[in-house]
Amino acid sequence: MTERIDGEAVAADIRESLTGSIEALREEGVEPGLATVLMSDDPASETYVSMKQRDCKEVGIDGLHVEIDTDAPPAELYDTIEDLNNDPHVHGILVQMPLVDGIDERRVLRSIDPMKDVDGFHPENVGRLVAGNDRYRPCTPHGVQKLLEAYDIETEGADAVVVGRSNIVGKPLANLLFRKADDGNATVTVCHSRTEALAEKTRTADILVAAAGIPELIDAGMVAEGATVIDVGVNRVDVPNRRSEDSRAESAEADTERGYELVGDVAYEDVSEIAGAITPVPGGVGPMTRAMLLYNTVKAAGLQNDIDVTLP
Ligand SMILES: NC(=O)c1ccc[n+]([C@@H]2O[C@H](COP(=O)([O-])OP(=O)(O)OC[C@H]3O[C@@H](n4cnc5c(N)ncnc54)[C@H](OP(=O)(O)O)[C@@H]3O)[C@@H](O)[C@H]2O)c1
């Protein structure tokens, strides 16, 4: 029987535990605060930021949102980040990517105080992660690790294949999976757009992570019997063009209204027949990414105030 990995449920447990950690911080006089910065007209980015703010409210993190006009000079963004770096009530800063054209995203990431870099993308935090001495693990890879842990999926000695080598998902996740640690110790193959014979590689995986951003790239023929399949992909597909008529009928009405549906990088219905465990989209990795942002914010508030917080 294929196990459906329920990211909503695991994320809810993490949020629940975090409310306790937040309460403990409050008792020490610290109100954890997260600032989100948006400089983009992209509707998906607007949605992501508002969901992050909603999550903060739900667990009791102080949410501050700064929106910068897309016509504003880059200096306005850097000044905003500087102000947030210096604001003691803000423990985490998240600049929603992608930014408008013409802004140097690497420079933006470098300008965030690494102690407040709850995305974990500042070069200092990337370096620490690679060196096995992480401060903030990037939210999506960390969320994947927490899902594996919640479902007792052993990484030690496993053959893991990660499809995608981006800085935000593939690279950090590969690093976390192969590093010498209880939640690592896998043998990792990283695939990308120039990989030849992709299916041959993915079929070797005990744990297959799809993070390519290509709707239903991974089909049943690319998966070994009993493998754990983690689908990081979130792709908007126009409803009239969708590839598979699946049974998730409850979301179909909303999809039609929006004009698109969200599809993963894995052909869920077919791969479910083969996999040992699989994450759905939506409801798999997405909620975990959001929960791990809250986790990093709580951790950041503790670190910046020398308080040893218990984290889930
Ligand atoms: N659920 C969540 O919380 C969450 C969070 C972040 C991202 N996502 C989703 O995850 C997906 C990946 O995001 P990302 O930011 O990592 O994307 P990205 O920066 O576009 O990277 C995609 C990676 O996939 C590789 N790739 C593209 N086509 C491929 C193919 N046909 N075969 C093998 N590899 C291929 C690319 O190779 P090259 O390096 O050669 O170009 C690249 O390394 C997207 O759908 C995104 O929306 C979800």
Side-chain angles (χ1 to χ4, degrees), residues 18-27 29-35 56-57 59-64 88-92 293-302 304-305 307 309:
L18 286 174
T19 53
S21 320
I22 292 164
E23 203 40 57
L25 280 166
R26 271 227 186 84
E27 281 166 17
V30 175
E31 294 269 349
L34 173 72
C56 284
K57 205 176 246 176
V59 295
I61 289 175
D62 249 356
L64 166 71
H89 301 293
V90 170
H91 304 101
L293 175 66
L294 304 174
Y295 175 108
N296 277 350
T297 305
V298 173
K299 184 172 185 184
Q304 284 158 55
N305 290 283
I307 299 170
V309 263

Side-chain angles (χ1 to χ4, degrees), residues 202-206 208 219-229 271 274-276:
T202 56
R203 275 197 299 266
T204 66
D206 301 312
L208 174 60
D219 63 28
M222 299 170 78
V223 178
E225 183 101 38
T228 296
V229 180
V271 173
I274 309 273

Side-chain angles (χ1 to χ4, degrees), residues 35-77:
T36 50
V37 181
L38 181 68
M39 189 177 186
S40 157
D41 287 331
D42 173 29
S45 294
E46 285 168 13
T47 307
Y48 291 144
V49 164
S50 69
M51 288 190 317
K52 286 163 187 173
Q53 285 295 336
R54 210 173 54 216
D55 292 342
C56 284
K57 205 176 246 176
E58 191 187 315
V59 295
I61 289 175
D62 249 356
L64 166 71
H65 178 57
V66 184
E67 220 158 306
I68 299 176
D69 205 278
T70 49
D71 299 333
E76 199 169 319
L77 175 62

Side-chain angles (χ1 to χ4, degrees), residues 54 145 194 266 279:
R54 210 173 54 216
Q145 286 192 295
R194 312 294 166 88
V266 176
T279 58

Side-chain angles (χ1 to χ4, degrees), residues 140 163-166 168-169 191-194 198 211-214 217 232-235 265 285-286 289:
T140 302
V163 183
R165 57 176 167 185
S166 72
I168 65 168
V169 188
C191 301
H192 45 78
S193 67
R194 312 294 166 88
L198 180 65
I214 310 278
L217 172 70
V232 178
V234 179
N235 308 292
D265 286 358
V285 176
T289 299

